Amino acid sequence: MTDSLYDHGFVRVAAAVPHVRVGDPGFNAERTIALAARADDRGAAVVVFPELGLTGYSGEDLFHQSALLDAGEHAVAQVAQASRDARPVIVVGAPIRAEGGLFNAAVVIHEGAILGVVPKSYLPEYHEYYEKRQFRAARDLIGGELTVAGQQVPAGPELVFACGNLPALQLHVEICEDLWSAIPPSTYAALAGATVLCNLSASNVTIGKSAYRRMLCEGQSARTISGYVYTAAGLGESTTDVAWDGHAMICENGDLLAETQRFSDDEQLIEADLDLDRILSDRMATSSYGDTIGDLRDRLRASRRVEFELRMPDAPAALARRVERFPYVPANPANRSERCEEVFDIQVRGLQTRLQATGIKRVVIGVSGGLDSAHALIVAARSVDRLGLPRTNVLAYTLPGFATSPGTLRNSHALMNALGVTASELDIRPSATQMLRDLGHPAADGARQYDVTYENVQAGERTSHLFRLANHHGALVLGTGDLSELALGWSTYGVGDQMSHYNVNASVPKTLIRFLLRWAIAADLFGADANEVLDAILDTAISPELIPPGDDHDGEGPQQDSEATVGPYELQDFFLYYVLRFGYRPTKVAFLAHHAWGDRERGEWPDLIPIDRRNQYSESEIRHWLGEFLRRFFKTSQFKRSAVPNAPKVGSGGSLSPRSDWRAPSDSEATAWLDELDGGSGERDG
C-alpha cells in the first residue's frame, strides 16, 4: 500500500495570510515567497494568498500611481522567479494593467511561469467599497490574453487550470465579492469541471461577518460539490476606516476542514487535504448536477483550460486529514447526541406511520438479548407511546434455542419487563428438533453435527413462529436485522431473520446501534431498570447463538462470536461507508482504514468507547477483513438484499434497499474489487 495522499485521490491545499505593508510590494513579495516555501515544505500542491496582497488592498487612490503599479508588477516577477524550484501552484493578488485600464486580478504562478490572470468579476461599489473608482471588471476585458511581468498569458474569469498528471485537480480562481454575487463565477467553473475553487479576498471585518463568510464558503462548496479555499487580508492593511481579521478557511462539500485564528498577530498558513474522489463521486451521483450542466452548456463551452504538470513530493506525503473511525457516528458528543436522537426519531416515525397506515395496533418482535433486537424493542415501545397505545401492545417473545446462553436469556426477560411490554418465552427446541428429524439430520438424535442446516432450522423456526403469532394476534412482525448484517449477508434468507413485515434497523449499522443504546442510557429514555439491562447487553459479545458451547465453555455468555467469522463490525462498517457512499477503490478504503485504525493513540475517540475497547488493526488485518467484506458484499449477499422488507432510510451513508440507494445484480462477481485490492499489495489475501 502506498503511503502518499496523492496516490489515493487527495490533494493538499493551503491558504496563507501574510503580513503586508501597503505601498511596499517588495516586502509583500518577500513574505509571499516565504509562506509559499513553507507550504511547499508541507507538501501542498496549491497555496492561495489574499486579494491585492502584493501591493496591499487598502491603497485606494494609490492605485492610480504608476510607481506602485510598476513595483506591483515587479513583485509578481519576483514571486514567479522564486517559484521556479517550488512545487505548488501559487495564486497571488495584484493590480494588473491591460487595454488601457487596471484590473484587480489573481495571478496564477507555477514553476516560474505565469499560467494565467483572472480579473475580478464583481466590483463592490456600495457602503465602504469604491473599487470601480480604481478598477475595471472582468467583463470589460476585450481580449483573452494580456502581458504581465514580460509573459503573455491567458486572462479571464473562465479559466480553469487543469493538472495533467493529477486529472482530478482542476483549479478555478475568483476574488472576494465574486462569492457574494447571486451566481459566483466559480459556480460555472465547477459545472465546467473545476474541483478546487480559490478565492482571494481582502474582506474587512465587521460584527458577525466572519460567520457569514463561513456560511458562504461552506454553502458554495456544498452547492458546487467542490473544495473551496478562501483567504483574506490580515495584519498590515490600512485601518483608516476599516479593520481586518485575517480570516482564511478551507471547505469541502459543505464541511469546514481548516480555519485560521482571526486577529492573529502572526502570519498564518493553514492546510487541508481535499478528497477529490469524494467530489467527483458526489457529482457523478447527483443527477441534478448533470442536468444543470446541460442547461448551461453554451455558457460552459466558453471555459478555457490551462494545462500544467505538478511535481509530486520526493517523500510520501502522509495524510493529515482527520478520518473518523466511526464514519456513521460523530465523535463530538453534542453532534452525536443530536444525531442519535434524530436517527431514533426517524425509526419511530417510520414504524408509527406504518401502523397508522395499516390500522394494525400490535407489534410482534423477537428479543434475543442482543444489540439489534434491544434497539428495535425500544423503538417499538416509543412508537406505541406516540400512538397513544399501551406498551402491552408490543408482543415481545424470547425464543431460546439449542445455544441460547443464560446471560442473553436473562437480559431478554429483564428488558421486556423493564419496558412494560407483553413478555413471553417460547422454546423453539421441540419444533426445531422435529424439523431436524423430518429432514433426517443426525443432530435430531444428539449428534454434534452443527452445520448450516442445523443453524438455519433454528433461525427459520423463530421467524415462522413470529409470523404465525402475528397472524394470531392481528399484529405486524418487526424486523431487527441491521445494515451491517445486510451488507455482509449475515442473516438467514426467506423464512429467517432476513424477513419481517417492517424493519426499523435495516438502514442503521451495527456501530451506530451501539451508540444509540448508549445514548438511550445517557438520556434516561426508559428509566434505571432499562438502562441497567441495556448496559449489560452492550457488554455481551455479538453472536447468533445457534451452535451449542463446547465442554470448556462456562455456559454464561454466547459460544459463537460473529466477528470472528465476518470480521470486526467497527472495521466492516468503516468499509461499508466508503464503498457504499462514495464507491472508492478498495486500495483507497484500505489506506483510509489504516489511517483511522492503524494506531489507537492517533486521533480522537468518541468518549463513550471504553479505553479497553479502543482497538487498532495492522495493515494485514485490514486487508484480510476488507477482502472478506468485498467477497460477501459484491458476490454472495445481494440476493438477500434484493428481497428486503420495507424500512426507513436514516442517513446519507446509505441504504441497501433495492428501492433506495442500492440496486445491484444478485449474481455478480467480486473479481474487479479483489484484483484492485491485490494490485495494491502484489498478492491475493486469503
Side-chain angles (χ1 to χ4, degrees):
M1 185 192 306
T2 57
D3 295 325
S4 179
L5 64 97
Y6 288 101
D7 293 326
H8 295 284
F10 293 96
V11 64
R12 182 164 296 159
V13 298
V17 183
H19 287 161
V20 64
R21 291 178 184 169
V22 179
D24 191 350
F27 172 84
N28 299 335
E30 288 177 7
R31 300 317 311 148
T32 296
I33 291 166
L35 282 179
R38 281 171 55 186
D40 190 7
D41 290 342
R42 297 180 186 180
V46 181
V47 56
V48 183
F49 290 84
E51 178 181 12
L52 294 171
L54 290 182
T55 56
Y57 171 83
S58 50
E60 299 190 275
D61 284 353
L62 299 184
F63 289 115
H64 292 308
Q65 298 293 312
S66 295
L68 179 63
L69 301 181
D70 291 343
E73 187 165 355
H74 181 66
V76 171
Q78 285 180 275
V79 175
Q81 177 65 27
S83 74
R84 293 177 65 86
D85 297 321
R87 290 184 183 86
V89 174
I90 303 170
V91 188
V92 297
I96 300 297
R97 291 170 287 195
E99 300 176 350
L102 186 64
F103 293 86
N104 177 347
V107 183
V108 182
I109 299 169
H110 186 238
E111 293 186 342
I114 297 173
L115 298 180
V117 172
V118 180
K120 190 171 184 177
S121 293
Y122 296 97
L123 302 176
E125 193 74 10
Y126 57 88
H127 301 319
E128 64 265 45
Y129 306 110
Y130 300 94
E131 287 189 28
K132 290 185 179 181
R133 180 181 174 93
Q134 291 95 26
F135 300 105
R136 293 181 186 175
R139 69 183 67 85
D140 300 323
L141 187 67
I142 299 171
E145 293 184 342
L146 54 77
T147 300
V148 57
Q151 299 184 40
Q152 187 171 8
V153 299
E158 74 281 0
L159 298 181
V160 174
F161 301 90
C163 183
N165 59 330
L166 196 62
L169 175 59
Q170 299 197 38
L171 305 173
H172 178 263
V173 180
E174 62 188 4
I175 302 174
C176 199
E177 184 75 11
D178 292 347
L179 177 60
W180 267 255
S181 66
I183 306 177
S186 59
T187 299
Y188 297 109
L191 293 169
T195 52
V196 178
L197 314 178
C198 307
N199 187 305
L200 291 71
S201 185
S203 193
N204 63 293
V205 62
T206 55
I207 295 172
K209 189 173 182 179
S210 63
Y212 189 70
R213 287 193 205 110
R214 192 179 300 114
M215 181 185 68
L216 284 175
C217 291
E218 290 174 343
Q220 184 67 352
S221 74
R223 194 163 39 251
T224 59
I225 312 179
S226 67
Y228 202 88
V229 186
Y230 177 94
T231 186
L235 190 66
E237 287 286 0
S238 172
T239 57
T240 300
D241 291 301
V242 292
W244 317 85
D245 61 348
H247 192 191
M249 68 196 94
I250 301 171
C251 302
E252 176 190 291
N253 202 1
D255 297 328
L256 179 67
L257 301 186
E259 188 173 24
T260 55
Q261 177 187 343
R262 296 169 56 230
F263 299 107
S264 173
D265 291 334
D266 299 321
E267 294 182 317
Q268 296 194 77
L269 182 71
I270 57 171
E271 309 98 22
D273 296 342
L274 297 178
D275 190 343
L276 301 180
D277 286 344
R278 177 193 180 194
I279 291 167
L280 294 178
S281 172
D282 278 355
R283 286 182 178 182
M284 190 183 305
T286 306
S287 58
S288 55
Y289 200 89
D291 291 341
T292 309
I293 292 171
D295 289 345
L296 298 172
R297 65 174 71 87
D298 292 337
R299 170 72 182 256
L300 302 182
R301 286 190 183 117
S303 297
R304 291 187 288 158
R305 273 170 170 68
V306 179
E307 300 281 343
F308 68 96
E309 294 283 319
L310 186 68
R311 284 189 295 119
M312 298 301 169
D314 296 330
L319 186 67
R321 181 186 177 104
R322 176 176 171 173
V323 179
E324 297 282 6
R325 290 178 173 88
F326 302 95
Y328 290 101
V329 185
N332 181 282
N335 293 344
R336 184 178 62 241
S337 179
E338 181 181 350
R339 176 82 59 87
C340 287
E341 182 176 8
E342 188 169 24
V343 169
F344 187 72
D345 284 342
I346 291 171
Q347 292 178 285
V348 169
R349 176 54 55 89
L351 179 57
Q352 176 186 352
T353 302
R354 180 53 55 94
L355 291 172
Q356 286 177 316
T358 58
I360 295 173
K361 300 185 182 302
R362 295 185 180 88
V363 171
V364 163
I365 181 173
V367 182
S368 68
L371 293 170
D372 294 342
S373 64
H375 182 63
L377 182 59
I378 65 174
V379 169
R382 180 62 80 232
S383 298
V384 295
D385 290 348
R386 294 260 180 95
L387 289 168
L389 299 172
R391 287 194 186 171
T392 52
N393 281 26
V394 177
L395 312 180
Y397 294 85
T398 185
L399 301 107
F402 300 125
T404 300
S405 66
T408 54
L409 184 60
R410 184 168 57 250
N411 287 340
S412 298
H413 281 288
L415 184 60
M416 293 187 293
N417 291 334
L419 293 174
V421 300
T422 299
S424 303
E425 179 177 324
L426 200 163
D427 190 343
I428 66 164
R429 286 174 293 183
S431 58
T433 300
Q434 182 60 51
M435 178 170 283
L436 289 169
R437 183 167 289 113
D438 292 343
L439 296 174
H441 195 283
D445 297 317
R448 298 176 67 87
Q449 183 172 321
Y450 303 142
D451 53 15
V452 66
T453 302
Y454 180 86
E455 294 188 49
N456 284 349
V457 160
Q458 296 173 77
E461 279 298 305
R462 289 189 172 110
T463 303
S464 179
H465 277 84
L466 293 175
F467 271 93
R468 302 297 75 80
L469 286 165
N471 292 154
H472 183 59
H473 294 288
L476 177 151
V477 176
L478 188 63
T480 64
D482 62 48
L483 182 68
S484 310
E485 294 174 343
L486 280 174
L488 297 165
W490 196 240
S491 62
T492 301
Y493 181 74
V495 184
D497 53 322
Q498 178 258 356
M499 189 49 61
S500 63
H501 288 127
Y502 196 75
N503 185 344
V504 292
N505 286 343
S507 185
V508 186
K510 187 83 72 180
T511 48
L512 181 53
I513 284 180
R514 283 188 177 277
F515 281 92
L516 286 164
L517 292 180
R518 290 188 175 104
W519 164 79
I521 294 170
D524 196 25
L525 293 188
F526 296 98
D529 291 343
N531 292 345
E532 183 178 354
V533 67
L534 289 175
D535 195 53
I537 289 170
L538 283 164
D539 285 335
T540 303
I542 300 170
S543 172
E545 293 196 315
L546 297 173
I547 296 177
D551 295 335
D552 58 346
H553 187 60
D554 63 14
E556 182 63 25
Q559 166 79 354
Q560 280 178 289
D561 184 347
S562 297
E563 293 179 291
T565 301
V566 300
Y569 279 111
E570 57 194 12
L571 272 187
Q572 300 294 29
D573 283 357
F574 186 95
F575 302 152
L576 173 63
Y577 179 81
Y578 286 104
V579 169
L580 180 60
R581 177 67 177 81
F582 300 114
Y584 285 165
R585 297 176 181 86
T587 50
K588 177 163 183 169
V589 176
F591 173 75
L592 290 170
H594 190 256
H595 184 78
W597 289 98
D599 182 355
R600 66 169 59 89
E601 302 301 325
R602 181 172 58 214
E604 183 181 353
W605 282 88
D607 57 302
L608 294 179
I609 301 293
I611 292 176
D612 61 345
R613 294 193 179 182
R614 296 182 179 183
N615 299 316
Q616 66 182 30
Y617 300 95
S618 67
E619 182 179 333
S620 62
E621 288 174 312
I622 288 169
R623 297 183 69 86
H624 169 75
W625 290 120
L626 178 54
E628 181 69 19
F629 173 85
L630 297 172
R631 280 185 286 270
R632 285 178 168 273
F633 186 79
F634 288 107
K635 181 174 175 61
T636 67
S637 304
Q638 180 57 37
F639 76 98
K640 297 180 181 180
R641 296 190 289 268
S642 294
V644 294
N646 293 174
K649 177 180 175 179
V650 301
S652 62
S655 159
L656 289 173
S657 168
R659 300 170 296 276
S660 184
D661 287 13
W662 187 253
R663 296 167 178 81
S666 296
D667 46 10
S668 71
E669 298 292 332
T671 307
W673 293 268
L674 292 170
D675 285 351
E676 200 280 338
L677 178 62
D678 298 336
S681 66
E683 60 183 21
R684 172 63 63 90
D685 175 39

